[in-house]
Amino acid sequence: MKLASVALAAAAAGALVLSGCSSSDRDASSTQSADAGFAKDAVIGVALPQKTSENWVLAENLFKDGLTQAGYQPIVQFANGGVSEQQNQIQAMIQKGAKVIVVGAIDGKQLGTQLKAAHDQGIKVIAYDRLLENTDAVDIYQAFDNYKVGQLQGQSLLKGLGERKGKGPYNIELIAGSPDDANSKPFFDGAMNVLQPKLDDGTLAIPSGQKTQQQAATQGWEAENAQNRMDTILAGNYKNKELHGILSPNDTLARAALTSVKQAGKPTPVVTGQDSEVESVKSIMAGVQYSTIYKDTRELVKSTIDAVNAYQKGDEPTVNDTKSYNNGVKVVPANLLTPVIVTKENAAEVYANDPTLAPLTK
Ligand code: BGC
């Protein structure tokens, strides 16, 4: 055994005594390995992207509180300035001796150098919500099932069109997320898996002709970009047509699209969303935005902290998907949570245990 391993094993054994766990809680061999865990009060880094939706803002305090309560010293940071700021933050977390770094990447392809440096020091790397790509320096992916999110959005668009716009055929437009976010592709592909057959059989048409993820992309997930694009599409293609539906990948962009349509003086289309943001839930209850997705941030942060706790003990965290997330270099073991579709119909039921959203459904 190398010296470092002995030190680690000793530290972990000490941590076990301090935390009151019995050594029978885990197998003896794991205490001997270099993966023997770390001290209960270790530094844990959480690198979040920009505040492009409410779920990231919620995650900040949930991580700070949850990690502090578990005994760790959290460093939780947003990178509002962009990719290089996030790279610097991860580098600083390594220097401060973090034992686990949780990353919600702005651009999952641009952190390879920093993540390799982390792994070289034995730091565990957790991809949070967004996959880390083109690197083998990632241990686990904690997220909601992104492809399923897209499928639910596609299904709800069709359901909403049937309910609100009579018999087809229907004119729709597509909005996709930011191209640097690894989630944008599974969201789009999941939705198109449902919508493509309806485009093929003529139930749906896309008058702008902008059918690919690339054409529909919204750089930086910025509302302004989606709204400008929708303004142009409406001006160029909908002089004498109704736009019946819009596939929107999240609530921020859904509201931007609805603003654009309203300003063009057109009837309200069926619009999907994601994140259950307060303004969108209000809009759904008022009968404007058609649907959203509930991805309870409390659940995702909790399951991520569970993974940190597993590493602390020298164990492997729980995963439930070992095939879906090939990041270009390896298949990243994932622990996927289940997203839920929400319309006015089921909102009260879905948000029943959410203190912020439940009152909006009364
Ligand atoms: C998240 C979405 C969010 C989007 C913009 C995605 O990676 O999964 O929930 O709406 O980023 O912040």
Side-chain angles (χ1 to χ4, degrees), residues 295-317:
K295 302 193 300 187
D296 190 338
T297 306
R298 296 170 301 176
E299 295 290 322
L300 188 57
V301 170
K302 183 182 174 301
S303 94
T304 306
I305 295 179
D306 286 348
V308 173
N309 289 334
Y311 288 135
Q312 189 275 321
K313 296 194 186 100
D315 292 341
E316 281 305 313

Side-chain angles (χ1 to χ4, degrees), residues 32 39 63 88 148 167 177 234 293 301-302 348 353 355:
Q32 304 299 308
F63 271 120
N88 293 339
K148 178 86 187 160
K167 272 186 75 210
L234 286 166
I293 300 272
V301 170
K302 183 182 174 301
N353 296 319

Side-chain angles (χ1 to χ4, degrees), residues 33-352:
S33 77
D35 274 347
F38 46 81
K40 264 245 142 203
D41 64 351
V43 172
I44 307 294
V46 181
L48 298 172
Q50 291 111 334
K51 299 180 184 177
T52 42
S53 44
E54 278 171 18
N55 51 333
W56 298 110
V57 180
L58 292 172
E60 178 186 26
N61 282 331
L62 290 165
F63 271 120
K64 277 188 183 156
D65 295 350
L67 288 168
T68 304
Q69 270 161 30
Y72 303 111
Q73 302 173 58
I75 304 174
V76 185
Q77 291 176 321
F78 282 102
N80 289 312
V83 172
S84 59
E85 184 177 358
Q86 189 162 52
Q87 292 169 335
N88 293 339
Q89 288 170 339
I90 294 173
Q91 200 59 53
M93 288 169 187
I94 299 171
Q95 273 147 16
K96 287 185 181 139
K99 296 296 177 199
V100 179
I101 301 182
V102 176
V103 185
I106 296 170
D107 184 336
K109 289 192 174 78
Q110 296 213 47
L111 301 172
T113 308
Q114 292 71 31
L115 300 178
K116 182 176 182 308
H119 247 207
D120 287 350
Q121 310 247 350
I123 300 169
K124 296 289 184 187
V125 175
I126 300 178
Y128 173 84
D129 191 286
R130 298 174 174 178
L131 189 60
L132 293 162
E133 298 175 287
N134 293 351
T135 175
D136 62 7
V138 49
D139 297 288
I140 185 178
Y141 180 39
Q142 292 279 346
F144 282 86
D145 185 336
N146 300 304
Y147 191 81
K148 178 86 187 160
V149 166
Q151 286 181 314
L152 291 171
Q153 289 170 335
Q155 287 158 5
S156 106
L157 181 61
L158 293 179
K159 186 159 176 271
L161 288 168
E163 280 171 27
R164 293 190 176 173
K165 299 291 177 184
K167 272 186 75 210
Y170 310 105
N171 297 322
I172 65 162
E173 294 296 335
L174 310 175
I175 302 176
S178 191
D180 49 8
D181 177 352
N183 284 352
S184 296
K185 184 172 161 57
F187 292 158
F188 191 81
D189 289 351
M192 293 313 281
N193 165 262
V194 175
L195 300 178
Q196 192 60 52
K198 299 293 176 188
L199 285 161
D200 294 343
D201 74 12
T203 308
L204 300 176
I206 301 178
S208 71
Q210 298 182 20
K211 295 180 181 170
T212 65
Q213 187 197 335
Q214 204 185 359
Q215 289 170 317
T218 310
Q219 191 63 45
W221 286 102
E222 280 184 30
E224 195 191 350
N225 294 338
Q227 194 171 327
N228 288 341
R229 178 171 162 263
M230 206 45 69
D231 289 348
T232 309
I233 286 176
L234 286 166
N237 305 277
Y238 288 88
K239 284 261 156 28
N240 306 306
K241 274 196 193 97
E242 182 177 347
L243 170 57
H244 301 106
I246 301 175
L247 173 79
S248 168
N250 82 355
D251 285 348
T252 308
L253 305 187
R255 297 195 303 275
L258 281 161
T259 303
S260 171
V261 177
K262 193 171 181 186
Q263 283 174 2
K266 298 278 188 184
T268 306
V270 173
V271 182
T272 62
Q274 168 175 210
D275 296 331
S276 295
E277 296 198 342
V278 168
E279 285 311 310
S280 282
V281 173
K282 286 184 187 164
S283 173
I284 288 170
M285 297 318 290
V288 182
Q289 186 174 324
Y290 179 72
S291 66
T292 184
I293 300 272
Y294 190 43
K295 302 193 300 187
D296 190 338
T297 306
R298 296 170 301 176
E299 295 290 322
L300 188 57
V301 170
K302 183 182 174 301
S303 94
T304 306
I305 295 179
D306 286 348
V308 173
N309 289 334
Y311 288 135
Q312 189 275 321
K313 296 194 186 100
D315 292 341
E316 281 305 313
T318 306
V319 294
N320 59 14
D321 183 310
T322 50
K323 59 179 196 314
S324 303
Y325 286 94
N326 187 329
N327 79 349
V329 173
K330 73 184 242 189
V331 178
V332 184
N335 191 39
L336 302 181
L337 306 184
T338 308
V340 180
I341 189 79
V342 187
T343 59
K344 191 174 178 180
E345 217 178 311
N346 68 348
E349 192 189 321
V350 176
Y351 300 143

